[in-house]
């Protein structure tokens, strides 16, 4: 029995800009809050150690400084290729009364990944005046800083390529009188396995 499914939680503490409206940009992260079988590389690539179905949830703080509402789109890429039907469009309010327009774009999406696959969040916008914004600690009232982007990743289930189920332990080979048990990658930390042998 596997007692601790893989997971990861990441955030970014910087502003992220779009240099033009015709380029796709990867959402980047500079802080790993929790990591167990999910690692961050190159600022944007989330690599998983184990094959399966993964639940990915993001929250992105957009800012618009123009006098018109603007759109931003967010989608997923796997191993450098766009994932079909993974795009979402968000309309960010215009600046009003000297206050920039703001919007939190949030969504969860399930991705099927093999061991050592990576995925990225991509974004584009209709105006270079739209950015992904972080905010420092605020006062009156005192409140914490706002990350520009947050991403959490949770292992949801086996992808059906083996009999691992949700626990990640399965008989990968068996003969009369013996069997080989396989489980999540050893890079997944804090594991406890229990086996029942039936004669």
């Amino acid at each position: 029995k596997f007692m601790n499914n893989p997971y990861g939680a990441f955030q970014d503490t910087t502003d992220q800009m779009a240099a033009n409206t015709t380029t796709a940009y990867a959402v980047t992260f500079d802080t790993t809050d929790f990591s167990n079988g999910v690692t961050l590389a190159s600022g944007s690539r989330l690599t998983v150690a184990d094959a399966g179905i993964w639940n990915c949830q993001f929250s992105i703080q957009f800012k618009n400084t123009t006098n018109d509402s603007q759109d931003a789109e967010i989608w997923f890429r796997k191993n450098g290729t766009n994932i079909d039907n993974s795009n979402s469009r968000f309309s960010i309010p215009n600046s009003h009364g000297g206050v920039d327009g703001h919007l939190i774009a949030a969504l969860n999406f399930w991705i099927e990944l093999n061991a050592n696959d990576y995925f990225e969040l991509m974004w584009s916008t209709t105006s270079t005046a739209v950015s992904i914004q972080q905010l420092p600690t605020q006062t009156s009232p005192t409140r914490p800083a706002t990350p520009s982007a947050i991403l959490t990743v949770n292992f949801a289930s086996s992808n059906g390529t083996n009999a691992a189920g949700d626990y990640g332990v399965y008989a990968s080979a068996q003969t009369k009188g013996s069997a080989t048990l396989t489980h999540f990658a050893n890079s997944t930390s804090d594991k406890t396995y229990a086996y029942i042998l039936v004669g």
Side-chain angles (χ1 to χ4, degrees), residues 35-157:
S35 179
N36 180 22
V38 185
T39 55
L40 173 65
S42 303
S44 65
R45 296 182 176 184
L46 285 304
T47 302
V48 301
D50 303 290
I53 307 296
W54 292 81
N55 185 19
C56 309
Q57 303 178 70
F58 66 79
S59 173
I60 296 178
Q61 176 69 69
F62 279 113
K63 178 180 74 170
N64 176 17
T65 61
T66 73
N67 292 325
D68 299 306
S69 62
Q70 301 292 342
D71 289 340
E73 300 190 51
I74 303 171
W75 67 96
F76 287 84
R77 278 185 181 172
K78 180 171 74 171
N79 299 328
T81 300
N82 291 337
I83 297 177
D84 291 342
N85 302 311
S86 67
N87 187 50
S88 295
R89 178 177 293 176
F90 301 89
S91 290
I92 303 130
N94 59 292
S95 176
H96 47 281
V99 178
D100 296 331
H102 293 94
L103 177 83
I104 285 283
L107 190 75
N108 77 291
F109 189 79
W110 289 41
I111 304 176
E112 184 174 10
L113 298 167
N114 292 319
N116 301 313
D117 279 351
Y118 73 87
F119 71 91
E120 296 173 282
L121 271 181
M122 308 300 297
W123 74 288
S124 67
T125 177
T126 55
S127 172
T128 57
V130 170
S131 62
I132 300 176
Q133 181 191 33
Q134 73 82 219
L135 296 166
T137 301
Q138 307 281 310
T139 58
S140 300
T142 300
R143 51 204 189 276
T146 303
S148 57
I150 297 171
L151 177 70
T152 61
V153 188
N154 301 93
F155 183 85
S157 175

Side-chain angles (χ1 to χ4, degrees), residues 11 20 22 44 111 114-115 122 140 147 149 166 180-181 189 193 197-198:
Q11 62 174 288
N20 61 67
T22 58
S44 65
I111 304 176
N114 292 319
M122 308 300 297
S140 300
D166 291 340
T180 301
L181 296 180
S189 62
Y193 297 103
L197 302 180
V198 179

